[in-house]
Amino acid sequence: LAGVRSMLPLLSLTSLASSLLLQCASITEKCSRLAPLVNQLTTDAMDSGRQYLARYVSDSAAGIYVQGVRLDMLMVANVVYFLAVAVSGFFGFAVRFLEQ
């Protein structure tokens, strides 16, 4: 039981890291929806400035990047899966080691 208590900081750190990654990915997803929003703004005629702005926002690929990789929901799902497998394996190893 004492070994399980020693694992609590690792579990809480993993859950905080997962939560932070999800928040960052949601910001990136919001940035990717900005260009269609700008393009839907209604004006009297076809506004080339609005189209230029929508194209600029789309081409800039705004979002949160980690070491040059855009952090989107797919990337976060892969990282959270990897963290869950690693923590689960480490937890199982620690429990077996402490039972001996």
Side-chain angles (χ1 to χ4, degrees), residues 75-96:
M75 181 65 67
V76 169
N78 289 336
V79 169
V80 168
Y81 176 75
F82 175 76
L83 284 175
V85 168
V87 168
S88 172
F90 186 71
F91 185 71
F93 176 76
V95 167
R96 286 186 183 170

Side-chain angles (χ1 to χ4, degrees), residues 9-47:
L10 179 64
L11 293 174
S12 65
L13 182 64
T14 303
S15 66
L16 286 173
S18 300
S19 174
L20 179 66
L21 286 174
L22 285 172
Q23 291 296 322
C24 291
S26 70
I27 291 171
T28 300
E29 296 297 324
K30 288 177 184 176
C31 290
S32 68
R33 291 192 304 256
L34 183 63
L37 176 69
V38 169
N39 205 21
Q40 286 182 354
L41 296 175
T42 57
T43 58
D44 295 339
M46 291 297 286
D47 187 12

